[in-house]
Amino acid sequence: MADTSESKSLTVADVIDQYLRMIERARSKRTMLAYKNALSAFSEVLAKKSMDPAVTPIGNLTEDIFAKFVEHLSVYSTATEQLYLQAVKGFYLFVDSENYANVNQSRLVVLIRQRARRPGVKILQFPIVEIEKLIEKVQVVEELMHSNAEEDELLNVQLRAYRDRAFLVTLADTGFRVHEACNLRRGDIDWNEGRAVIIGKGNKQAVVRFSSRSLQYIKDYLARRSVIDGNTGKQLSSLPVFARHDKGAGKKIKSMTPTTGRNIVKERVEQFLGNELVGVITPHSFRHYFVTSALRGTGNLRIVQELARHKNIQVTQRYTHLSDEELDKAYYDVFENKNKLKK
């Protein structure tokens, strides 16, 4: 808590720096960058209202400025608006908690409810049939190997084939985000229970479940990597599940990066589905596939919300789209069977 004399000498810019340092310590890099952008936009509004953050005392901060900021965000998408409002509202709460200024928190809530736009529920569309075709193709590991590989590159070609099969099927059957899969360690997986405890989005601990086939493909891949893993001199539990197998990695076991993950998807999409779907199917498409498959299999939004690790069930609802064939069947099952003409 700041003393009165200190708070009088602080400017808005000073306190913004304090707030962002706190966010940097507590949140992910992506969140930190988003909050920084939000506070930058907020600073622009202050400057336009003749309240240069660099010279304006923090005690001059009012909810009226927040109201102007809400109006300013109309040029942004609703998703960005919601994110920026969350960041700047957090800044006001920080100011209040440190006694830098008197903040009417209830008014902030009312301003957001009255003036902010509500994000619509966007139905996600993605090429589910093509993803299923790709998953089917990559399970034939021989199809993933290039027959014209040089002798000294043959081992890496084989390792990449087994890795790519395991990686793509794991994305489809677990709902992993690409960075989560890349960060996965051998010791994270409980092979008996078929699950892993990970640190997921927002630095939160989460449980991810594996299908039998994804576990089997991971085991097949790690079995072919066993000699290299053993030569590292490190505990096997500390090694990444998915590793690089390129000239840069050599014979070392280095973790894949999200870029490597995206390149795997790009390469295999191009190989099996053609150039037109490169960029259309991404690593995150497999997460869409996972959520959609779980919804169709269970019909239970709450269960799928937990499996997908969605904080808000509205995100899960975006996946509740049905195909024309499913809608036709549902319609005729209800109305045609119910209202058959009596002879």
Side-chain angles (χ1 to χ4, degrees):
M1 185 178 296
D3 60 51
T4 306
S5 59
E6 180 188 5
S7 61
K8 286 182 178 179
S9 63
L10 289 173
T11 66
V12 174
D14 293 331
V15 181
I16 286 177
D17 287 341
Q18 288 183 15
Y19 175 64
L20 290 177
R21 284 197 297 271
M22 182 193 72
I23 295 298
E24 185 174 24
R25 289 192 300 269
R27 308 292 290 274
S28 67
K29 290 182 178 179
R30 289 181 64 182
T31 300
M32 166 59 184
L33 180 60
Y35 274 48
K36 186 177 181 180
N37 290 338
L39 271 298
S40 177
F42 180 63
S43 296
E44 290 179 14
V45 173
L46 288 171
K48 289 179 180 178
K49 300 301 176 183
S50 301
M51 294 180 65
D52 184 351
V55 297
T56 300
I58 188 62
N60 291 6
L61 193 68
T62 67
E63 299 83 33
D64 291 337
I65 298 299
F66 186 80
K68 297 296 182 184
F69 180 62
V70 177
E71 295 172 3
H72 171 76
L73 292 177
S74 61
V75 298
Y76 293 85
S77 70
T78 53
T80 300
E81 177 182 295
Q82 293 294 317
L83 176 60
Y84 281 18
L85 286 176
Q86 178 183 337
V88 176
K89 178 187 174 185
F91 171 66
Y92 269 83
L93 298 182
F94 175 76
V95 169
D96 188 41
S97 68
E98 295 295 322
N99 284 339
Y100 288 146
N102 292 322
V103 175
N104 186 335
Q105 296 187 26
S106 298
R107 190 177 179 214
L108 293 180
V109 174
V110 170
L111 285 170
I112 291 174
R113 287 179 178 172
Q114 289 181 341
R115 305 194 184 191
R117 293 169 294 167
R118 295 182 182 275
V121 177
K122 181 180 179 182
I123 296 177
L124 290 171
Q125 299 292 341
F126 64 100
I128 189 169
V129 174
E130 287 77 8
I131 291 175
E132 289 176 338
K133 180 180 178 182
L134 179 62
I135 293 169
E136 181 181 348
K137 290 285 187 181
V138 300
Q139 290 184 72
V140 183
V141 74
E142 291 77 16
E143 294 289 331
L144 300 171
M145 300 185 194
H146 300 294
S147 58
N148 59 348
E150 299 291 337
E151 188 68 29
D152 59 349
E153 182 65 11
L154 189 58
L155 176 60
N156 274 345
V157 169
Q158 292 175 345
L159 287 173
R160 283 197 294 269
Y162 280 91
R163 177 202 64 190
D164 292 1
R165 178 178 71 170
F167 181 70
L168 294 175
V169 172
T170 297
L171 288 183
D173 287 3
T174 64
F176 268 129
R177 298 174 178 89
V178 65
H179 72 276
E180 294 170 343
C182 292
N183 290 336
L184 192 65
R185 300 284 161 176
R186 294 184 62 160
D188 294 335
I189 300 178
D190 184 330
W191 300 96
N192 293 323
E193 295 294 329
R195 60 178 64 185
V197 177
I198 67 164
I199 303 299
K201 188 175 181 181
N203 291 324
K204 293 181 180 178
Q205 184 172 290
V207 175
V208 175
R209 292 159 178 83
F210 292 80
S211 63
S212 297
R213 68 174 180 177
S214 62
L215 280 179
Q216 186 58 56
Y217 291 155
I218 291 173
K219 288 178 181 178
D220 292 345
Y221 163 52
L222 294 178
R224 281 159 179 78
R225 221 180 72 187
S226 59
V227 174
I228 301 176
D229 282 5
N231 289 337
T232 63
K234 299 178 181 179
Q235 287 189 342
L236 293 181
S237 61
S238 69
L239 298 178
V241 172
F242 300 109
R244 289 170 49 192
H245 299 295
D246 51 51
K247 292 181 179 179
K251 294 184 178 181
K252 296 181 180 179
I253 293 297
K254 295 184 176 182
S255 298
M256 276 176 35
T257 65
T259 298
T260 307
R262 286 188 284 271
N263 288 339
I264 289 172
V265 173
K266 178 181 177 182
E267 178 185 351
R268 299 311 181 182
V269 167
E270 184 175 10
Q271 178 183 355
F272 293 115
L273 302 178
N275 290 328
E276 62 274 11
L277 285 172
V278 171
V280 176
I281 296 177
T282 67
H284 208 68
S285 302
F286 290 85
R287 182 164 164 80
H288 295 332
Y289 173 82
F290 168 78
V291 179
T292 301
S293 298
L295 265 175
R296 287 177 169 174
T298 67
N300 190 314
L301 272 174
R302 287 294 180 187
I303 289 176
V304 177
Q305 180 189 8
E306 292 297 321
L307 290 174
R309 296 170 284 127
H310 288 150
K311 182 179 179 181
N312 192 326
I313 200 168
Q314 286 185 334
V315 178
T316 314
Q317 287 174 326
R318 296 166 62 197
Y319 293 86
T320 56
H321 56 280
L322 298 171
S323 68
D324 285 341
E325 291 79 6
E326 289 170 314
L327 291 172
D328 287 344
K329 183 178 184 303
Y331 178 85
Y332 287 110
D333 283 349
V334 173
F335 292 98
E336 294 299 324
N337 292 335
K338 177 182 177 182
N339 300 319
K340 284 183 178 178
L341 292 174
K342 294 180 181 180
K343 295 183 179 180

